[in-house]
Amino acid sequence: MKVNNEFLIPFIGLKQGKHQFDFDISKAFFDGFEFDEYNDVNVKVDMVLEKQSTMFELHFKHEGTVNVPCDLSNEDFDLPIGGSIDVVVKFGDEYNDENDEILVLPHGEYEVDVSQYIYEMIVLSVPSKRIHPGVEDGTIDTSILNKLEELAPGEEQEEKNIDPRWDELKKLLTDK
């Protein structure tokens, strides 16, 4: 992944207190991570950097839509997403990001790259099962769903295909 200067936050010259940063995330952002599950992305990320004397906190909040294919009908639709994460940034001897909520930067570091946190926050806010709202309320009309309904086994088909030997076995269960 190529480092994008837009997501490098220089914290060394900032005064103590809260500082607001806004990012507009598009499909190009995910292309940099070689992630191609989304057709289109339109997400706004608000980040507040709260600087203190020996550490600082990053508060991320996002809201927007990702265009994804429906898992049932394969129709593309805009899925609304939103969420937030908080990261505490401390200073230590060496870089350490093993903990999801704590980032340790080496002493002497003057900027932090927030792109990985934005990427993970958005990807984790998209549900694993994506269903078009038209499928849930019955308003979508696609050829795939029509074909599935046509091929679905009906009650008449099930009754015709039952082997008569099963009826004899069912009698054994009821005879006690």
Side-chain angles (χ1 to χ4, degrees):
M1 169 102 203
K2 176 179 94 162
V3 175
N4 188 340
N5 288 339
E6 178 186 359
F7 301 102
L8 285 176
I9 307 298
F11 55 84
I12 198 73
L14 297 177
K15 295 180 181 177
Q16 288 188 14
K18 294 183 179 184
H19 304 276
Q20 178 76 33
F21 296 91
D22 297 321
F23 304 102
D24 291 325
I25 306 300
S26 65
K27 174 87 168 93
F29 175 79
F30 286 95
D31 291 342
F33 283 93
E34 297 178 8
F35 187 81
D36 59 355
E37 270 192 47
Y38 309 145
N39 302 325
D40 193 24
V41 178
N42 184 16
V43 176
K44 304 265 188 257
V45 176
D46 297 324
M47 184 191 81
V48 175
L49 185 148
E50 189 175 344
K51 187 172 181 185
Q52 299 168 3
S53 60
T54 59
M55 59 177 251
F56 58 92
E57 297 178 16
L58 302 172
H59 306 284
F60 296 92
K61 191 165 78 172
H62 74 285
E63 194 170 311
T65 60
V66 291
N67 188 283
V68 293
C70 173
D71 290 338
L72 298 177
S73 66
N74 208 28
E75 293 283 325
D76 293 338
F77 72 103
D78 288 334
L79 178 68
I81 60 168
S84 64
I85 60 169
D86 296 323
V87 178
V88 175
V89 181
K90 296 182 176 185
F91 296 95
D93 294 331
E94 61 186 32
Y95 181 86
N96 184 347
D97 65 350
E98 292 174 4
N99 189 327
D100 293 338
E101 298 171 355
I102 299 174
L103 171 66
V104 178
L105 293 176
H107 295 290
E109 196 68 35
Y110 61 93
E111 61 187 8
V112 61
D113 185 5
V114 296
S115 60
Q116 184 68 34
Y117 292 103
I118 293 172
Y119 168 78
E120 290 176 5
M121 176 179 63
I122 293 172
V123 169
L124 291 174
S125 68
V126 175
S128 58
K129 187 169 186 177
R130 301 170 273 215
I131 300 175
H132 193 290
V135 172
E136 292 176 345
D137 62 18
T139 59
I140 193 169
D141 186 34
T142 65
S143 60
I144 292 174
L145 289 178
N146 294 337
K147 191 66 172 174
L148 282 173
E149 287 177 15
E150 178 184 318
L151 295 175
E155 290 182 26
E156 304 89 32
Q157 266 187 328
E158 289 179 21
E159 290 177 10
K160 279 193 284 184
N161 294 336
I162 295 177
D163 191 342
R165 293 176 286 185
W166 287 112
D167 291 332
E168 295 298 320
L169 289 173
K170 287 180 187 176
K171 289 180 185 174
L172 290 174
L173 290 174
T174 58
D175 295 340
K176 291 189 180 179

